[in-house]
Amino acid sequence: MLPLAVLLQTAPQHGPPPSNAVAQSAIAELRSPYCPGLMLEVCPSPQAELLRDSIRDLAAAGETKDEIVAWMLDRHGEEWRAIPRRSGVGLWAWIVPPLALLGAGAWLARRGSRLRRTAPPPVTPGEISPADQARLDAELRELERIG
Amino acid sequence: MTGIGEVALWIALLVSAWGMAMAFVGGRVDRGDLVLAGERSILAVFGLLVVSSGAIIAAFLGNEYRYNYVAGYSNRELSVFYKVTGLWAGQTGSLVFWALLLALFSSLVVLQNRQRNREFMPYVAGTLLGVLLFFLVVIVAASNPFKLLDFTPLDGRGLNPQLQNYWMTIHPPTLYLGFTAFTIPFAFAVSALLSGRLDTRWITTTRRWTLLAWFFLTNGIIFGMMWAYVELGWGGWWFWDPVENASVLPWLTGTAFLHSVMIQEKRGMLKMWNVLLILGTFLLSIFATFLTRSGLIESVHSFAQNLTIAWIFLGFLSFLILLSAGLVWWRRDRLQSDNQLESFVSREAAFIGNNLLFIGAMFAILWGTMFPLISEGITGQKISVGPPFFDRVNVPIGLLLLALLGIGPVIAWRKATARNLRRNLAVPVGVSLTVGAILWVTGVRHVYALLTFALGAFVLATIVTEFWKGTRARARIEGENAALALVHMVQRNRRRYGGYIVHVGLVVGFMGFAGKAFYVERQAAIRPGESIEVRSPFGHGYRLTYQDMSAYPATNMTKLIASVRVERDGVRVGTLTAEKRSYRQREEVASEVGIRRAWNEDLYLILAGIDNPNGVLDGTNRQPLATFRVLVNPLVPWIWAGGFIMAVGTLIALWSTSEPGRRGPPAQARQPAASRPRRPELVEA
């Protein structure tokens, strides 16, 4: 771990130089119209290369990331946006997974609390439930096996 | 030979239908002879599928282009190696291959359980034959590998260039081995539900199968990443493509299952959850095959698309969902937990948290994958969901899982005390904070990468502590030296320590993923003699000098190869080549990248473009301008190393000596004799 720290310390935090950062962030949000299923940043098609060049030119001319993305989508269509919008229908893409996770977590926590409240009282000395007996037997077998 | 192959398929279909009926009826009316007939049907179907698969391979090797499948995926120039692997190169053959592997595993189950688990076997055999029957119906009705063309072409179309790669020959079979092996615990779960024997026996009986399935699926996914990395020429290994996503869905539920069964085994809890998990894992395996084969969602893996098959798969999937839900509902009373959760600060709670996160990740990936279809179906507006979405949703879940990876193994069962937590977690937390602080001080500011390294250190520290404590205790008790004590300790509890080694592999892999945050990229168009310079995140200065461009005609393609001299920190370290390949038969162009590997980073060279390539071929353009894309990918080798460590850990766990039925009295001896379907030979004996 320590060598890793030493080695990484000299690293720039991201690959592209700052002058290219706007273009790179715009390209990273777009799918390629020329490679089915691929992002624009990795599409090997020559047309995609031209499109990336155009985006770099726009960035060099001072356009912002959002303006560049809007420019590309105006020409090629909204379906090439790789990240759903955080409004309208696209909002559902973002909110459903965390809501489901939180909902499931809350349900589990509630159920766990209820189970703990309804847990059977501890057995008195001398008594042992069949479930505990089975567990005890299993544990003893395991202990014996481990030796 | 090929005629026999088709006949074998038809006979296999009839035998599987007959055998399925015999097995289910035999189980229902307690007739051992009928059950035996069902089991023997599995062996027969396997033999028939071997014949059929052999016939397909023979057709490839014999260049029999009258068959649509052979003509579509082979040509005369294709090497023998790729002709043999043509069995799974296309959809038609891969379905036969799926069925063959399932028949193989099913036969092993039958042979393994001739004397054991007799009470499960009728419905296990029936279920396995049912799944085999489905695949055989699909093959015969909609995807027959022996379908003839109206004419016999002189040559075939050849294999997709991207599939002509070593990893691609090994990636699909490994993935299929994982998918099909998960059918075995699925069949035992269905059998447990049908027979009402819902204690832990179906889980302990299938433990090795589950691990084996997980082993293959994990390796299949990693092989696919390796293929993408070396073949697709993007410089990446995972792109959240729908088909990639589909393969990881059953992996996530399968991993959750591997953990949650421990709670059922130890505490008698989560019975219904475990049944649901394994049913879901199998359903997701079928879903993955459906998504790969349907082409319903745009994917770079859309090598084969067939909507007829897609609808058949969807129908089967719907049937399975209804069947599974119905069975679980029917047996819900027998799926109640024996024990209750006693504390949220316990190993059970940590495992439940881990399951929640695995299922959360699965749902998020499934949701993101299907969202374009869902949004288009409901609103008519197709919304694309790309890699940035999956990264943003899944990275936090992955980090939480990493934290639980460290907490779960060291926290006490039932209820952990503050003392237990302090004793087990103090050192790992200290190590984690120290690593995080060092990385911060040395300038690492990428939050997710920083957290990954810190949490990774936490997990590694817990595992090292566990090994150290166990070794020390054993050395003291047995009077052994440390090395011997370590070996004996692992041997005595391979499942536990194998699991720890898997965790180490996962941590190493996660750190490899985090390396992506530091990648460096340069692109330039240069002429021979000119150079591109790039500085790696580890501080090395690379100079890549374009030397020359050569044209080579090969058997089924023409290669344009750029040679690039590589210097690191001013010292020549070798030459990289990057290629453009033009495949004659398919009229396709593919790239071959050059990779210089080191323990900590890969130098990755892509030949992005060549000015006037025809001039290179005819010799008029000897000094072509070429565009190169150079990447330095830090820690990528760690991903492969992590995968290797995970494989080793899984094999150690698979070697477990704790499988029931191998020690102690046979399990069926504890069951009333009248309730067990008997084999005829046993009755006669």
Side-chain angles (χ1 to χ4, degrees):
Chain A
M1 200 62 63
L2 291 179
L4 185 73
V6 174
L7 291 166
L8 285 174
Q9 65 172 323
T10 54
Q13 293 300 303
H14 271 287
S19 61
N20 225 354
V22 172
Q24 195 56 40
S25 60
I27 289 169
E29 290 194 6
L30 296 165
R31 282 193 179 278
S32 172
Y34 309 108
C35 303
L38 276 186
M39 294 293 287
L40 179 60
E41 63 183 332
V42 294
C43 173
S45 144
Q47 293 100 316
E49 191 52 51
L50 288 172
L51 185 54
R52 285 193 292 261
D53 285 345
S54 304
I55 288 174
R56 288 188 194 106
D57 291 344
L58 287 170
E63 299 272 318
T64 64
K65 182 194 80 175
D66 290 341
E67 287 168 343
I68 295 170
V69 169
W71 171 86
M72 189 276 189
L73 297 177
D74 278 348
R75 275 150 187 79
H76 295 274
E78 182 67 22
E79 68 265 33
W80 304 110
R81 182 192 292 278
I83 310 176
R85 285 179 183 277
R86 288 188 168 82
S87 59
V89 184
L91 183 64
W92 288 100
W94 291 103
I95 61 168
V96 168
L99 280 182
L101 192 61
L102 287 174
W107 180 80
L108 273 175
R110 218 176 124 216
R111 189 169 162 77
S113 304
R114 202 184 318 149
L115 286 175
R116 283 195 303 146
R117 280 199 298 274
T118 57
V123 290
T124 53
E127 289 176 3
I128 187 160
S129 68
D132 281 345
Q133 182 65 53
R135 183 171 164 236
L136 183 61
D137 290 343
E139 298 275 354
L140 286 171
R141 276 200 303 276
E142 176 80 358
L143 202 61
E144 192 182 359
R145 193 179 60 73
I146 294 170
Chain B
M1 178 69 185
T2 45
I4 296 172
E6 186 167 16
V7 172
L9 275 181
W10 278 100
I11 298 174
L13 186 147
L14 296 173
V15 170
S16 55
W18 182 79
M20 180 184 74
M22 291 300 104
F24 277 124
V25 172
R28 181 81 187 135
V29 301
D30 201 5
R31 285 265 307 271
D33 54 339
L34 299 185
V35 176
L36 191 64
E39 289 176 330
R40 286 179 177 166
S41 300
I42 289 178
L43 303 177
V45 170
F46 173 60
L48 290 161
L49 282 168
V50 168
V51 171
S52 192
S53 304
I56 295 172
I57 293 172
F60 268 95
L61 292 173
N63 297 324
E64 297 196 40
Y65 301 121
R66 62 196 165 118
Y67 295 110
N68 187 29
Y69 181 56
V70 178
Y73 292 93
S74 180
N75 62 4
R76 292 183 190 281
E77 293 169 336
L78 197 66
S79 70
V80 170
F81 179 70
Y82 290 117
K83 281 182 179 172
V84 172
T85 59
L87 176 61
W88 56 83
Q91 171 175 271
T92 307
S94 64
L95 288 172
V96 175
F97 190 57
W98 220 104
L100 175 72
L101 294 176
L102 179 56
L104 168 69
F105 286 148
S106 304
S107 300
L108 290 176
V109 167
V110 167
L111 296 173
Q112 230 180 11
N113 292 286
R114 278 174 298 180
Q115 308 297 334
R116 296 188 284 167
N117 300 313
R118 297 307 304 161
E119 63 277 26
F120 286 117
M121 282 313 288
Y123 300 131
V124 169
T127 306
L128 293 171
L129 282 162
V131 179
L132 275 169
L133 176 64
F134 162 73
F135 275 94
L136 286 162
V137 167
V138 172
I139 292 164
V140 168
S143 186
N144 191 337
F146 299 103
K147 185 180 164 191
L148 294 169
L149 288 168
D150 296 334
F151 67 102
T152 304
L154 291 174
D155 202 356
R157 291 194 63 234
L159 187 62
N160 185 322
Q162 289 180 337
L163 302 182
Q164 294 183 39
N165 175 279
Y166 171 76
W167 289 114
M168 202 55 197
T169 60
I170 193 170
H171 157 61
T174 319
L175 215 52
Y176 285 172
L177 282 165
F179 288 156
T180 48
F182 266 124
T183 316
I184 307 301
F186 166 78
F188 271 89
V190 169
S191 180
L193 286 165
L194 285 169
S195 63
R197 295 168 196 278
L198 287 157
D199 54 21
T200 54
R201 279 210 38 235
W202 74 270
I203 285 174
T204 49
T205 298
T206 57
R207 184 188 291 154
R208 282 187 172 175
W209 281 106
T210 312
L211 269 174
L212 191 74
W214 191 86
F215 171 79
F216 283 127
L217 199 50
T218 306
N219 284 298
I221 291 168
I222 291 170
F223 291 159
M225 290 161 72
M226 288 174 161
W227 168 73
Y229 189 62
V230 301
E231 185 60 32
L232 296 183
W234 309 328
W237 57 90
W238 190 265
F239 299 95
W240 296 110
D241 177 81
V243 171
E244 288 176 346
N245 294 351
S247 72
V248 89
L249 297 176
W251 185 87
L252 287 165
T253 51
T255 312
F257 177 74
L258 279 172
H259 289 89
S260 64
V261 290
M262 286 188 236
I263 304 180
Q264 186 172 342
E265 288 176 38
K266 292 274 184 194
R267 303 286 328 275
M269 296 163 64
L270 302 183
K271 287 182 183 177
M272 186 182 289
W273 179 243
N274 286 327
V275 166
L276 286 172
L277 273 182
I278 200 62
L279 296 177
T281 301
F282 176 70
L283 292 173
L284 287 169
S285 299
I286 297 291
F287 175 75
T289 314
F290 156 72
L291 209 63
T292 312
R293 297 296 153 204
S294 68
L296 276 183
I297 299 177
E298 201 171 64
S299 159
V300 292
H301 289 73
S302 300
F303 299 119
Q305 297 178 6
N306 183 330
L307 276 180
T308 311
I309 288 181
W311 287 115
I312 298 176
F313 262 89
L314 205 56
F316 184 56
L317 202 58
S318 308
F319 166 74
L320 286 175
I321 291 170
L322 288 175
L323 179 77
S324 303
L327 283 173
V328 172
W329 180 256
W330 178 41
R331 294 296 192 189
R332 64 190 182 283
D333 291 339
R334 297 194 189 192
L335 289 168
Q336 299 306 311
S337 293
D338 297 336
N339 288 301
Q340 318 290 2
L341 184 68
E342 292 176 32
S343 167
F344 283 118
V345 189
S346 61
R347 191 175 295 189
E348 297 93 304
F351 276 28
I352 290 169
N354 131 321
N355 266 236
L356 179 68
L357 292 172
F358 274 120
I359 299 308
M362 184 278 291
F363 178 75
I365 295 170
L366 181 64
W367 176 252
T369 306
M370 301 305 290
F371 192 77
L373 270 188
I374 295 169
S375 67
E376 193 175 15
I378 294 173
T379 66
Q381 185 186 351
K382 188 170 185 175
I383 293 178
S384 178
V385 179
F389 168 86
F390 292 103
D391 283 340
R392 286 178 201 181
V393 173
N394 284 296
V395 169
I397 295 177
L399 289 172
L400 285 171
L401 269 171
L402 202 54
L404 280 178
L405 210 64
I407 297 168
V410 295
I411 196 169
W413 288 100
R414 304 186 77 161
K415 186 174 184 178
T417 60
R419 187 165 168 268
N420 164 262
L421 290 177
R422 253 199 322 273
R423 197 178 57 199
N424 290 322
L425 294 177
V427 172
V429 167
V431 170
S432 174
L433 291 175
T434 307
V435 167
I438 291 170
L439 289 172
W440 179 266
V441 169
T442 53
V444 177
R445 291 292 183 273
H446 192 285
V447 176
Y448 284 149
L450 194 63
L451 282 171
T452 305
F453 292 127
L455 287 171
F458 168 67
V459 179
L460 291 179
T462 59
I463 294 169
V464 169
T465 309
E466 281 292 290
F467 271 88
W468 182 70
K469 279 182 188 170
T471 306
R472 195 180 57 166
R474 187 173 174 95
R476 198 176 55 234
I477 294 164
E478 302 290 336
E480 296 171 341
N481 66 49
L484 198 64
L486 175 69
V487 171
H488 284 162
M489 180 188 73
V490 174
Q491 273 179 342
R492 288 283 182 175
N493 203 340
R494 289 173 178 143
R495 187 185 181 196
R496 178 179 174 185
Y497 291 101
Y500 285 158
I501 293 170
V502 172
H503 286 184
V504 171
L506 202 61
V507 169
V508 173
F510 263 61
M511 290 182 177
F513 296 148
K516 193 182 176 193
F518 307 98
Y519 86 101
V520 178
E521 180 185 350
R522 292 281 181 276
Q523 180 164 318
I526 52 176
R527 290 198 180 276
E530 295 178 338
S531 302
I532 302 171
E533 290 188 1
V534 59
R535 189 156 191 83
S536 96
F538 287 90
H540 298 296
Y542 288 99
R543 173 193 278 264
L544 293 96
T545 307
Y546 174 23
Q547 292 183 299
D548 59 55
M549 182 79 70
S550 324
Y552 285 102
T555 45
N556 59 344
M557 70 185 100
T558 302
K559 298 178 181 179
L560 292 178
I561 306 176
S563 288
V564 175
R565 189 177 71 233
V566 181
E567 291 163 81
R568 193 176 81 159
D569 300 330
V571 179
R572 182 172 178 172
V573 289
T575 303
L576 278 179
T577 58
E579 303 176 15
K580 281 280 181 203
R581 292 180 175 181
S582 177
Y583 289 80
R584 279 192 286 279
Q585 205 72 18
R586 298 182 75 97
E587 296 180 355
E588 287 179 43
V589 176
S591 294
E592 289 291 315
V593 299
I595 305 174
R596 185 184 179 278
R597 299 175 194 273
W599 70 272
N600 56 349
E601 64 187 13
D602 282 353
L603 181 66
Y604 193 97
L605 178 70
I606 307 161
L607 178 57
I610 306 164
D611 190 36
N612 186 13
N614 289 330
V616 181
L617 290 171
D618 61 25
T620 56
N621 184 13
R622 293 183 186 280
Q623 302 281 309
L625 182 74
T627 304
F628 292 98
R629 200 166 151 229
V630 182
L631 293 104
V632 181
N633 291 328
L635 304 185
V636 166
W638 290 30
I639 299 173
W640 319 134
F644 178 74
I645 297 168
M646 284 167 77
V648 170
T650 317
L651 287 174
I652 291 172
L654 259 170
W655 219 310
S656 173
T657 51
S658 58
E659 189 185 353
R662 294 198 158 235
R663 288 167 178 267
Q668 61 263 45
R670 294 194 292 271
Q671 301 290 338
S675 67
R676 298 197 306 267
R678 288 175 297 176
R679 295 167 67 94
E681 6 355 3
L682 298 179
V683 176
E684 284 157 21

